mmCIF file of all heavy atoms in Angstrom:
data_model
loop_
_atom_site.group_PDB
_atom_site.id
_atom_site.type_symbol
_atom_site.label_atom_id
_atom_site.label_comp_id
_atom_site.label_asym_id
_atom_site.label_seq_id
_atom_site.Cartn_x
_atom_site.Cartn_y
_atom_site.Cartn_z
ATOM 1 N N ARG A 1 134.905 33.909 87.754
ATOM 2 C CA ARG A 1 134.729 33.536 89.164
ATOM 3 C C ARG A 1 134.145 34.716 89.887
ATOM 4 O O ARG A 1 134.517 35.856 89.617
ATOM 5 C CB ARG A 1 136.068 33.178 89.807
ATOM 6 C CG ARG A 1 136.785 32.014 89.149
ATOM 7 C CD ARG A 1 136.294 30.737 89.744
ATOM 8 N NE ARG A 1 136.880 29.601 89.036
ATOM 9 C CZ ARG A 1 136.337 28.420 89.050
ATOM 10 N NH1 ARG A 1 135.220 28.190 89.716
ATOM 11 N NH2 ARG A 1 136.908 27.428 88.390
ATOM 12 N N TRP A 2 133.216 34.457 90.803
ATOM 13 C CA TRP A 2 132.585 35.555 91.559
ATOM 14 C C TRP A 2 133.609 36.322 92.368
ATOM 15 O O TRP A 2 134.459 35.757 93.049
ATOM 16 C CB TRP A 2 131.515 34.999 92.514
ATOM 17 C CG TRP A 2 130.358 34.344 91.808
ATOM 18 C CD1 TRP A 2 129.994 33.025 91.956
ATOM 19 C CD2 TRP A 2 129.445 34.917 90.905
ATOM 20 N NE1 TRP A 2 128.882 32.772 91.162
ATOM 21 C CE2 TRP A 2 128.532 33.944 90.500
ATOM 22 C CE3 TRP A 2 129.279 36.205 90.367
ATOM 23 C CZ2 TRP A 2 127.488 34.177 89.624
ATOM 24 C CZ3 TRP A 2 128.243 36.446 89.474
ATOM 25 C CH2 TRP A 2 127.359 35.438 89.119
ATOM 26 N N HIS A 3 133.504 37.658 92.331
ATOM 27 C CA HIS A 3 134.376 38.530 93.106
ATOM 28 C C HIS A 3 133.790 38.880 94.458
ATOM 29 O O HIS A 3 134.491 39.375 95.324
ATOM 30 C CB HIS A 3 134.669 39.822 92.326
ATOM 31 C CG HIS A 3 135.562 39.591 91.157
ATOM 32 N ND1 HIS A 3 135.134 39.100 89.960
ATOM 33 C CD2 HIS A 3 136.910 39.778 91.038
ATOM 34 C CE1 HIS A 3 136.158 38.984 89.139
ATOM 35 N NE2 HIS A 3 137.249 39.386 89.762
ATOM 36 N N PHE A 4 132.513 38.689 94.626
ATOM 37 C CA PHE A 4 131.809 38.924 95.874
ATOM 38 C C PHE A 4 130.933 37.691 96.174
ATOM 39 O O PHE A 4 130.759 36.813 95.301
ATOM 40 C CB PHE A 4 130.868 40.149 95.793
ATOM 41 C CG PHE A 4 131.592 41.443 95.526
ATOM 42 C CD1 PHE A 4 131.604 42.018 94.264
ATOM 43 C CD2 PHE A 4 132.226 42.125 96.569
ATOM 44 C CE1 PHE A 4 132.249 43.202 94.035
ATOM 45 C CE2 PHE A 4 132.872 43.313 96.330
ATOM 46 C CZ PHE A 4 132.894 43.870 95.068
ATOM 47 N N GLY A 5 130.355 37.646 97.361
ATOM 48 C CA GLY A 5 129.293 36.702 97.658
ATOM 49 C C GLY A 5 127.987 37.457 97.649
ATOM 50 O O GLY A 5 127.957 38.689 97.715
ATOM 51 N N ALA A 6 126.852 36.725 97.581
ATOM 52 C CA ALA A 6 125.558 37.371 97.523
ATOM 53 C C ALA A 6 124.505 36.558 98.261
ATOM 54 O O ALA A 6 124.470 35.329 98.164
ATOM 55 C CB ALA A 6 125.098 37.582 96.059
ATOM 56 N N GLU A 7 123.669 37.285 99.033
ATOM 57 C CA GLU A 7 122.581 36.653 99.785
ATOM 58 C C GLU A 7 121.359 37.559 99.734
ATOM 59 O O GLU A 7 121.471 38.771 99.889
ATOM 60 C CB GLU A 7 123.001 36.432 101.224
ATOM 61 C CG GLU A 7 122.004 35.668 102.047
ATOM 62 C CD GLU A 7 122.545 35.267 103.372
ATOM 63 O OE1 GLU A 7 123.714 34.875 103.491
ATOM 64 O OE2 GLU A 7 121.745 35.327 104.364
ATOM 65 N N THR A 8 120.191 36.963 99.559
ATOM 66 C CA THR A 8 118.972 37.733 99.520
ATOM 67 C C THR A 8 118.649 38.271 100.904
ATOM 68 O O THR A 8 118.761 37.566 101.902
ATOM 69 C CB THR A 8 117.774 36.903 98.995
ATOM 70 O OG1 THR A 8 117.629 35.744 99.802
ATOM 71 C CG2 THR A 8 117.971 36.516 97.533
ATOM 72 N N VAL A 9 118.249 39.536 100.956
ATOM 73 C CA VAL A 9 117.843 40.187 102.203
ATOM 74 C C VAL A 9 116.334 40.005 102.353
ATOM 75 O O VAL A 9 115.815 39.831 103.439
ATOM 76 C CB VAL A 9 118.222 41.676 102.184
ATOM 77 C CG1 VAL A 9 117.684 42.388 103.417
ATOM 78 C CG2 VAL A 9 119.729 41.839 102.064
ATOM 79 N N SER A 10 115.643 40.061 101.240
ATOM 80 C CA SER A 10 114.182 39.851 101.165
ATOM 81 C C SER A 10 113.904 38.958 99.956
ATOM 82 O O SER A 10 114.834 38.673 99.167
ATOM 83 C CB SER A 10 113.453 41.204 101.032
ATOM 84 O OG SER A 10 113.842 41.828 99.824
ATOM 85 N N ARG A 11 112.652 38.526 99.820
ATOM 86 C CA ARG A 11 112.316 37.733 98.628
ATOM 87 C C ARG A 11 112.636 38.550 97.397
ATOM 88 O O ARG A 11 112.347 39.744 97.321
ATOM 89 C CB ARG A 11 110.811 37.374 98.625
ATOM 90 C CG ARG A 11 110.421 36.624 97.336
ATOM 91 C CD ARG A 11 109.013 36.059 97.397
ATOM 92 N NE ARG A 11 108.896 34.982 98.351
ATOM 93 C CZ ARG A 11 109.313 33.728 98.134
ATOM 94 N NH1 ARG A 11 109.891 33.413 96.995
ATOM 95 N NH2 ARG A 11 109.177 32.794 99.041
ATOM 96 N N VAL A 12 113.237 37.879 96.412
ATOM 97 C CA VAL A 12 113.668 38.540 95.176
ATOM 98 C C VAL A 12 112.916 37.937 93.990
ATOM 99 O O VAL A 12 112.784 36.717 93.898
ATOM 100 C CB VAL A 12 115.193 38.372 94.965
ATOM 101 C CG1 VAL A 12 115.628 38.747 93.559
ATOM 102 C CG2 VAL A 12 115.962 39.168 95.998
ATOM 103 N N HIS A 13 112.421 38.813 93.128
ATOM 104 C CA HIS A 13 111.903 38.423 91.822
ATOM 105 C C HIS A 13 112.848 39.023 90.809
ATOM 106 O O HIS A 13 113.191 40.211 90.906
ATOM 107 C CB HIS A 13 110.476 38.926 91.621
ATOM 108 C CG HIS A 13 109.508 38.314 92.559
ATOM 109 N ND1 HIS A 13 108.984 37.062 92.364
ATOM 110 C CD2 HIS A 13 108.980 38.763 93.724
ATOM 111 C CE1 HIS A 13 108.175 36.747 93.354
ATOM 112 N NE2 HIS A 13 108.161 37.785 94.206
ATOM 113 N N ALA A 14 113.322 38.173 89.876
ATOM 114 C CA ALA A 14 114.358 38.631 88.943
ATOM 115 C C ALA A 14 114.241 37.825 87.632
ATOM 116 O O ALA A 14 113.553 36.818 87.562
ATOM 117 C CB ALA A 14 115.720 38.417 89.560
ATOM 118 N N TYR A 15 114.978 38.324 86.653
ATOM 119 C CA TYR A 15 115.239 37.555 85.454
ATOM 120 C C TYR A 15 116.616 36.956 85.637
ATOM 121 O O TYR A 15 117.574 37.664 85.970
ATOM 122 C CB TYR A 15 115.233 38.459 84.208
ATOM 123 C CG TYR A 15 113.859 38.682 83.655
ATOM 124 C CD1 TYR A 15 113.147 39.825 83.959
ATOM 125 C CD2 TYR A 15 113.276 37.740 82.797
ATOM 126 C CE1 TYR A 15 111.880 40.043 83.453
ATOM 127 C CE2 TYR A 15 111.999 37.953 82.285
ATOM 128 C CZ TYR A 15 111.310 39.089 82.611
ATOM 129 O OH TYR A 15 110.065 39.295 82.092
ATOM 130 N N GLU A 16 116.736 35.650 85.413
ATOM 131 C CA GLU A 16 118.002 34.949 85.502
ATOM 132 C C GLU A 16 118.468 34.604 84.087
ATOM 133 O O GLU A 16 117.665 34.189 83.260
ATOM 134 C CB GLU A 16 117.824 33.666 86.311
ATOM 135 C CG GLU A 16 119.078 32.855 86.471
ATOM 136 C CD GLU A 16 118.818 31.606 87.302
ATOM 137 O OE1 GLU A 16 118.347 30.608 86.705
ATOM 138 O OE2 GLU A 16 119.096 31.636 88.505
ATOM 139 N N PHE A 17 119.747 34.793 83.857
ATOM 140 C CA PHE A 17 120.333 34.563 82.551
ATOM 141 C C PHE A 17 121.446 33.516 82.624
ATOM 142 O O PHE A 17 122.310 33.608 83.503
ATOM 143 C CB PHE A 17 120.924 35.842 81.977
ATOM 144 C CG PHE A 17 119.877 36.900 81.693
ATOM 145 C CD1 PHE A 17 119.448 37.716 82.729
ATOM 146 C CD2 PHE A 17 119.312 37.029 80.443
ATOM 147 C CE1 PHE A 17 118.486 38.685 82.494
ATOM 148 C CE2 PHE A 17 118.365 38.003 80.200
ATOM 149 C CZ PHE A 17 117.925 38.820 81.243
ATOM 150 N N ASP A 18 121.435 32.574 81.709
ATOM 151 C CA ASP A 18 122.483 31.593 81.569
ATOM 152 C C ASP A 18 123.615 32.246 80.796
ATOM 153 O O ASP A 18 123.419 32.745 79.685
ATOM 154 C CB ASP A 18 121.968 30.352 80.835
ATOM 155 C CG ASP A 18 123.077 29.367 80.560
ATOM 156 O OD1 ASP A 18 123.496 28.692 81.507
ATOM 157 O OD2 ASP A 18 123.510 29.282 79.376
ATOM 158 N N VAL A 19 124.825 32.253 81.357
ATOM 159 C CA VAL A 19 125.949 32.938 80.759
ATOM 160 C C VAL A 19 126.303 32.358 79.390
ATOM 161 O O VAL A 19 126.591 33.123 78.454
ATOM 162 C CB VAL A 19 127.160 32.918 81.715
ATOM 163 C CG1 VAL A 19 128.438 33.289 81.009
ATOM 164 C CG2 VAL A 19 126.891 33.821 82.894
ATOM 165 N N ALA A 20 126.270 31.064 79.220
ATOM 166 C CA ALA A 20 126.646 30.470 77.951
ATOM 167 C C ALA A 20 125.747 30.974 76.831
ATOM 168 O O ALA A 20 126.214 31.344 75.747
ATOM 169 C CB ALA A 20 126.574 28.932 78.023
ATOM 170 N N ALA A 21 124.438 31.081 77.092
ATOM 171 C CA ALA A 21 123.502 31.582 76.074
ATOM 172 C C ALA A 21 123.765 33.059 75.769
ATOM 173 O O ALA A 21 123.715 33.477 74.598
ATOM 174 C CB ALA A 21 122.075 31.383 76.543
ATOM 175 N N VAL A 22 124.048 33.860 76.804
ATOM 176 C CA VAL A 22 124.297 35.284 76.583
ATOM 177 C C VAL A 22 125.589 35.484 75.818
ATOM 178 O O VAL A 22 125.665 36.287 74.868
ATOM 179 C CB VAL A 22 124.311 36.055 77.911
ATOM 180 C CG1 VAL A 22 124.768 37.492 77.731
ATOM 181 C CG2 VAL A 22 122.927 36.009 78.557
ATOM 182 N N LEU A 23 126.648 34.728 76.167
ATOM 183 C CA LEU A 23 127.905 34.869 75.465
ATOM 184 C C LEU A 23 127.785 34.445 73.997
ATOM 185 O O LEU A 23 128.384 35.036 73.102
ATOM 186 C CB LEU A 23 129.021 34.076 76.160
ATOM 187 C CG LEU A 23 129.438 34.636 77.517
ATOM 188 C CD1 LEU A 23 130.431 33.689 78.193
ATOM 189 C CD2 LEU A 23 130.009 36.038 77.387
ATOM 190 N N GLU A 24 126.962 33.431 73.753
ATOM 191 C CA GLU A 24 126.697 33.005 72.370
ATOM 192 C C GLU A 24 125.995 34.116 71.597
ATOM 193 O O GLU A 24 126.337 34.398 70.430
ATOM 194 C CB GLU A 24 125.859 31.732 72.368
ATOM 195 C CG GLU A 24 125.589 31.168 71.002
ATOM 196 C CD GLU A 24 124.755 29.900 71.081
ATOM 197 O OE1 GLU A 24 125.180 28.963 71.786
ATOM 198 O OE2 GLU A 24 123.693 29.864 70.448
ATOM 199 N N LEU A 25 124.999 34.766 72.194
ATOM 200 C CA LEU A 25 124.318 35.891 71.564
ATOM 201 C C LEU A 25 125.315 37.010 71.258
ATOM 202 O O LEU A 25 125.311 37.585 70.162
ATOM 203 C CB LEU A 25 123.183 36.394 72.449
ATOM 204 C CG LEU A 25 122.468 37.670 71.977
ATOM 205 C CD1 LEU A 25 121.740 37.422 70.642
ATOM 206 C CD2 LEU A 25 121.508 38.152 73.059
ATOM 207 N N CYS A 26 126.167 37.305 72.217
ATOM 208 C CA CYS A 26 127.179 38.375 72.017
ATOM 209 C C CYS A 26 128.144 38.035 70.892
ATOM 210 O O CYS A 26 128.592 38.920 70.172
ATOM 211 C CB CYS A 26 127.937 38.610 73.320
ATOM 212 S SG CYS A 26 126.930 39.330 74.628
ATOM 213 N N GLU A 27 128.477 36.774 70.747
ATOM 214 C CA GLU A 27 129.349 36.313 69.651
ATOM 215 C C GLU A 27 128.672 36.519 68.301
ATOM 216 O O GLU A 27 129.301 36.956 67.346
ATOM 217 C CB GLU A 27 129.722 34.858 69.873
ATOM 218 C CG GLU A 27 130.731 34.314 68.914
ATOM 219 C CD GLU A 27 132.135 34.814 69.180
ATOM 220 O OE1 GLU A 27 132.456 35.202 70.305
ATOM 221 O OE2 GLU A 27 132.923 34.811 68.206
ATOM 222 N N ARG A 28 127.378 36.200 68.245
ATOM 223 C CA ARG A 28 126.622 36.328 66.996
ATOM 224 C C ARG A 28 126.357 37.788 66.647
ATOM 225 O O ARG A 28 126.241 38.153 65.493
ATOM 226 C CB ARG A 28 125.260 35.619 67.104
ATOM 227 C CG ARG A 28 125.325 34.122 66.971
ATOM 228 C CD ARG A 28 123.944 33.505 66.769
ATOM 229 N NE ARG A 28 122.846 34.138 67.497
ATOM 230 C CZ ARG A 28 122.381 33.751 68.693
ATOM 231 N NH1 ARG A 28 122.903 32.718 69.297
ATOM 232 N NH2 ARG A 28 121.372 34.388 69.267
ATOM 233 N N GLU A 29 126.236 38.631 67.683
ATOM 234 C CA GLU A 29 125.904 40.045 67.478
ATOM 235 C C GLU A 29 126.939 40.905 68.212
ATOM 236 O O GLU A 29 126.705 41.346 69.315
ATOM 237 C CB GLU A 29 124.483 40.313 68.016
ATOM 238 C CG GLU A 29 123.422 39.489 67.285
ATOM 239 C CD GLU A 29 122.017 39.896 67.699
ATOM 240 O OE1 GLU A 29 121.792 41.072 68.007
ATOM 241 O OE2 GLU A 29 121.148 39.012 67.679
ATOM 242 N N PRO A 30 128.053 41.152 67.548
ATOM 243 C CA PRO A 30 129.163 41.865 68.215
ATOM 244 C C PRO A 30 128.777 43.243 68.740
ATOM 245 O O PRO A 30 129.312 43.652 69.778
ATOM 246 C CB PRO A 30 130.216 41.984 67.093
ATOM 247 C CG PRO A 30 129.892 40.872 66.133
ATOM 248 C CD PRO A 30 128.409 40.687 66.208
ATOM 249 N N ALA A 31 127.901 43.963 68.071
ATOM 250 C CA ALA A 31 127.506 45.293 68.585
ATOM 251 C C ALA A 31 126.786 45.162 69.921
ATOM 252 O O ALA A 31 127.043 45.917 70.855
ATOM 253 C CB ALA A 31 126.614 46.025 67.570
ATOM 254 N N LEU A 32 125.918 44.175 70.044
ATOM 255 C CA LEU A 32 125.228 43.918 71.302
ATOM 256 C C LEU A 32 126.254 43.526 72.359
ATOM 257 O O LEU A 32 126.212 44.010 73.491
ATOM 258 C CB LEU A 32 124.170 42.828 71.133
ATOM 259 C CG LEU A 32 123.271 42.586 72.352
ATOM 260 C CD1 LEU A 32 121.908 42.111 71.915
ATOM 261 C CD2 LEU A 32 123.876 41.633 73.330
ATOM 262 N N GLY A 33 127.177 42.643 71.993
ATOM 263 C CA GLY A 33 128.221 42.205 72.932
ATOM 264 C C GLY A 33 129.062 43.358 73.444
ATOM 265 O O GLY A 33 129.329 43.474 74.625
ATOM 266 N N ARG A 34 129.439 44.261 72.535
ATOM 267 C CA ARG A 34 130.246 45.420 72.928
ATOM 268 C C ARG A 34 129.419 46.325 73.853
ATOM 269 O O ARG A 34 129.914 46.745 74.899
ATOM 270 C CB ARG A 34 130.655 46.215 71.695
ATOM 271 C CG ARG A 34 131.481 47.455 72.003
ATOM 272 C CD ARG A 34 131.577 48.424 70.839
ATOM 273 N NE ARG A 34 130.239 48.904 70.515
ATOM 274 C CZ ARG A 34 129.648 48.831 69.313
ATOM 275 N NH1 ARG A 34 130.273 48.266 68.305
ATOM 276 N NH2 ARG A 34 128.431 49.289 69.119
ATOM 277 N N ASP A 35 128.181 46.603 73.488
ATOM 278 C CA ASP A 35 127.359 47.509 74.316
ATOM 279 C C ASP A 35 127.084 46.910 75.682
ATOM 280 O O ASP A 35 127.094 47.607 76.684
ATOM 281 C CB ASP A 35 126.058 47.824 73.583
ATOM 282 C CG ASP A 35 126.264 48.671 72.333
ATOM 283 O OD1 ASP A 35 127.386 49.188 72.131
ATOM 284 O OD2 ASP A 35 125.310 48.773 71.529
ATOM 285 N N LEU A 36 126.845 45.587 75.740
ATOM 286 C CA LEU A 36 126.622 44.921 77.015
ATOM 287 C C LEU A 36 127.895 44.955 77.863
ATOM 288 O O LEU A 36 127.857 45.228 79.058
ATOM 289 C CB LEU A 36 126.140 43.511 76.800
ATOM 290 C CG LEU A 36 125.800 42.694 78.049
ATOM 291 C CD1 LEU A 36 124.721 43.403 78.884
ATOM 292 C CD2 LEU A 36 125.367 41.287 77.671
ATOM 293 N N ALA A 37 129.048 44.695 77.226
ATOM 294 C CA ALA A 37 130.333 44.708 77.972
ATOM 295 C C ALA A 37 130.612 46.085 78.551
ATOM 296 O O ALA A 37 131.051 46.220 79.690
ATOM 297 C CB ALA A 37 131.474 44.268 77.054
ATOM 298 N N VAL A 38 130.337 47.151 77.784
ATOM 299 C CA VAL A 38 130.551 48.508 78.272
ATOM 300 C C VAL A 38 129.610 48.789 79.440
ATOM 301 O O VAL A 38 130.021 49.383 80.465
ATOM 302 C CB VAL A 38 130.362 49.531 77.122
ATOM 303 C CG1 VAL A 38 130.261 50.954 77.668
ATOM 304 C CG2 VAL A 38 131.496 49.406 76.126
ATOM 305 N N ALA A 39 128.361 48.384 79.334
ATOM 306 C CA ALA A 39 127.390 48.604 80.423
ATOM 307 C C ALA A 39 127.803 47.846 81.681
ATOM 308 O O ALA A 39 127.741 48.393 82.796
ATOM 309 C CB ALA A 39 125.991 48.187 79.955
#
């Protein structure tokens, strides 16, 4: 659950990630999951 709210101040260009896909990748590749969790 979000701990903050968020609103764009100006137009934003970004990469958006689907959490389910990222968590699946982290499950398949535990070293990546650990490094991402630490970051």
